[in-house]
C-alpha cells in the first residue's frame, strides 16, 4: 500500500480518498482506467498511455473482427442456411452500432445505472462497437476525460479544519 491515505499501491486515488482528506485543498480527481489520475495535468506518462491505449484498442478491434470471421465461417461449415447466417450478421451489426452509440454517449454524460445493467447483454454482443468508440475517443483524449474533468472542475472545493 502507499503511504498516502486513500491511495492504492500504484498511487491512484481509491474510493476512500475521493472526497479529500484533512489538509487537502479539495476533492481528489476520480481515476480513469489505464490512466489513473494522470489525465488531470497530462503528466506521469499520459501521452505514452494514450498512445498505448489507442494502439491496444485498434489491435483488440482487429482480433475481435477475426473472431467474428471465424464464427461466420463456422456458420457456413455448419450449413445453417442463408437466413440464419444473415440474421446473425445483422444482429452483430445492429448490436455493434447501438453499443458504439451508447459507449460514445457515456463519454459526455453518465448513463443511468439501471439502463447500464439493462443494456449489458447488448453491449456484450456489440463489443466491436464498444471497442471502436474507445479507439476513436482515445485519439483525442483519455476515454471519459472530458466528463471527469467537467465533474472535477464543478465539484465545490471543500476546506477541512
Amino acid at each position: 500500500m502507499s503511504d498516502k491515505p486513500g491511495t492504492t499501491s500504484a498511487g491512484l486515488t481509491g474510493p476512500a480518498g475521493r472526497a479529500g482528506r484533512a489538509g487537502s485543498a479539495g476533492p481528489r480527481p476520480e481515476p480513469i482506467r489505464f490512466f489513473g489520475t494522470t489525465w488531470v495535468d497530462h503528466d506521469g506518462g499520459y501521452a505514452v498511455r494514450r498512445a498505448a491505449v489507442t494502439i491496444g484498442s485498434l489491435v483488440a478491434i482487429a482480433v475481435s473482427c477475426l473472431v467474428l470471421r471465424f464464427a461466420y465461417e463456422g456458420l457456413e461449415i455448419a450449413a445453417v442456411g442463408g437466413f440464419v447466417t444473415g440474421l446473425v450478421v445483422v444482429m452483430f451489426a445492429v448490436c455493434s452500432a447501438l453499443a458504439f452509440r451508447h459507449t460514445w454517449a457515456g463519454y459526455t454524460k453518465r448513463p443511468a445505472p439501471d439502463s447500464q445493467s439493462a443494456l449489458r447483454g447488448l453491449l456484450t454482443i456489440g463489443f466491436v462497437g464498444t471497442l471502436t468508440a474507445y479507439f476513436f475517443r482515445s485519439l483525442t483524449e483519455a476515454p471519459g476525460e472530458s466528463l471527469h474533468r467537467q465533474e472535477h472542475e464543478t465539484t465545490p472545493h471543500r476546506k477541512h479544519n
Side-chain angles (χ1 to χ4, degrees):
M1 289 301 291
S2 174
D3 296 317
K4 296 179 186 177
T7 59
T8 64
S9 59
L12 305 177
T13 304
R18 184 166 184 228
R21 65 186 199 299
S24 67
R28 290 193 170 155
E30 186 177 337
I32 297 176
R33 180 180 294 158
F34 304 124
F35 293 91
T37 56
T38 61
W39 61 268
V40 176
D41 296 321
H42 292 186
D43 60 353
Y46 173 83
V48 173
R49 289 174 191 224
R50 238 187 68 211
V53 162
T54 302
I55 293 167
S57 60
L58 188 59
V59 168
I61 291 168
V63 169
S64 298
C65 288
L66 186 64
V67 167
L68 288 178
R69 172 71 183 180
F70 289 146
Y72 179 79
E73 288 177 0
L75 290 173
E76 285 185 351
I77 292 170
V80 293
F83 178 73
V84 173
T85 303
L87 195 61
V88 169
V89 168
V90 168
M91 177 202 55
F92 273 107
V94 169
C95 287
S96 290
L98 292 173
F100 178 92
R101 185 177 151 272
H102 180 75
T103 303
W104 191 263
Y107 294 138
T108 55
K109 63 178 180 157
R110 294 232 183 240
D114 54 338
S115 74
Q116 189 76 359
S117 64
L119 293 175
R120 190 170 317 239
L122 180 123
L123 295 174
T124 302
I125 294 169
F127 61 96
V128 174
T130 301
L131 290 170
T132 305
Y134 197 84
F135 167 74
F136 282 123
R137 182 57 78 161
S138 68
L139 291 173
T140 58
E141 68 176 9
E145 178 180 345
S146 59
L147 175 65
H148 284 78
R149 187 171 304 282
Q150 179 186 20
E151 290 174 349
H152 180 65
E153 290 174 355
T154 58
T155 302
H157 294 286
R158 300 179 197 144
K159 295 201 176 198
H160 297 279
N161 292 350

